[in-house]
Amino acid sequence: MTVSPDLRQAKALVGARAYRQAKPILARLLAESPDDKWLMGAMVQTLLGLGDISTAVTMSEQLVATHPNSAQAQRFRASAANKAELHQEAYVAALEAVRLEPASWRGHHLVAVTSLNVTKLDQAHRAAAESLRLAPDEPDDHYAVGLVAQRLGHRARAHDSYRSALAIDPEHALSQGQLTRMDLSGTLADRIHRVRHVLRLDPTVRSAER
């Protein structure tokens, strides 16, 4: 099948996350082929990348309505709904993606992330472990394991998982962000601990406090 220059360019731009340049090309191609699964999914990804969450949700709904038996479509739906904080809808779409394509790590990863948002911690733990088993070299999987561990209170395991993600991809922004927040919270906790220690030991501090 011949690939048009516009489609080739759109794929390159989306792959490079050059979403602002990709959007008008995708819009033009979708006007010609409104039911094309790749184009619809690429537009969802592009809209999410540009921060246009509500339009991405609408496009993801159209994608699933047009391709209801596509695991990829369900994953895009889960991602868009998750960004929009439509937690139950995101969770249901992620489960459907796994049902349609159980060997895909991406579906299990989304189940792990969306399960946390609907407080299904056991399922989040199982899904994160399965995602990591299927694709141990994917930084997103280590990130998901870290999120679950952090929610369960396993701080050291979470820290190690985020570090593992960064060992694979040093630019993994989500893991970098979580590590920074953990380090800041740890620093604050240490400061509070030191202040309390001083208050216990130094009566002048206690009297000044009164």
Side-chain angles (χ1 to χ4, degrees):
M1 183 176 62
T2 303
V3 178
S4 71
D6 275 354
L7 180 56
R8 190 179 299 111
Q9 185 180 14
K11 288 186 174 184
L13 289 170
V14 172
R17 299 182 182 180
Y19 298 127
R20 198 166 301 281
Q21 297 95 316
K23 184 180 176 182
I25 301 172
L26 290 171
R28 186 164 62 249
L29 291 168
L30 277 168
E32 300 169 359
S33 305
D35 294 339
D36 184 278
K37 184 171 68 173
W38 185 87
L39 290 174
M40 296 177 82
M43 183 59 90
V44 173
Q45 181 180 337
T46 295
L47 292 166
L48 290 175
L50 292 173
D52 189 351
I53 308 303
S54 61
T55 310
V57 168
T58 300
M59 176 59 73
S60 74
E61 291 171 346
Q62 295 172 3
L63 174 59
V64 167
T66 307
H67 303 279
N69 296 317
S70 166
Q72 185 182 49
Q74 296 290 348
R75 290 194 295 266
F76 277 121
R77 172 63 180 146
S79 296
N82 192 54
K83 280 282 191 179
E85 298 185 357
L86 301 170
H87 297 314
Q88 185 63 31
E89 293 178 29
Y91 171 68
V92 169
L95 287 178
E96 181 64 7
V98 168
R99 186 189 72 80
L100 291 166
E101 197 174 320
S104 168
W105 69 267
R106 291 180 174 85
H108 293 282
H109 169 80
L110 282 168
V111 170
V113 173
T114 58
S115 293
L116 290 176
N117 292 328
V118 293
T119 325
K120 294 183 181 292
L121 301 187
D122 288 344
Q123 185 165 41
H125 178 74
R126 290 193 301 271
E130 180 64 8
S131 181
L132 186 61
R133 185 189 71 80
L134 289 168
D137 295 329
E138 287 290 341
D140 285 350
D141 289 340
H142 293 274
Y143 168 74
V145 170
L147 280 183
V148 175
Q150 196 170 353
R151 180 69 69 86
L152 293 172
H154 302 155
R155 184 181 175 86
R157 175 70 191 281
H159 194 277
D160 289 346
S161 295
Y162 298 139
R163 286 291 182 195
S164 295
L166 289 169
I168 298 168
D169 177 9
E171 302 300 319
H172 197 262
L174 293 172
S175 294
Q176 288 175 340
Q178 287 299 118
L179 278 176
T180 298
R181 281 187 284 274
M182 288 181 73
D183 290 343
L184 287 173
S185 66
T187 300
L188 178 59
D190 289 342
R191 287 177 179 171
I192 292 171
H193 175 75
R194 286 196 296 270
V195 169
R196 286 176 176 169
H197 184 65
V198 170
L199 291 176
R200 285 197 301 271
L201 294 180
D202 190 343
T204 63
V205 174
R206 289 199 294 274
S207 62
E209 186 181 33
R210 288 196 295 270

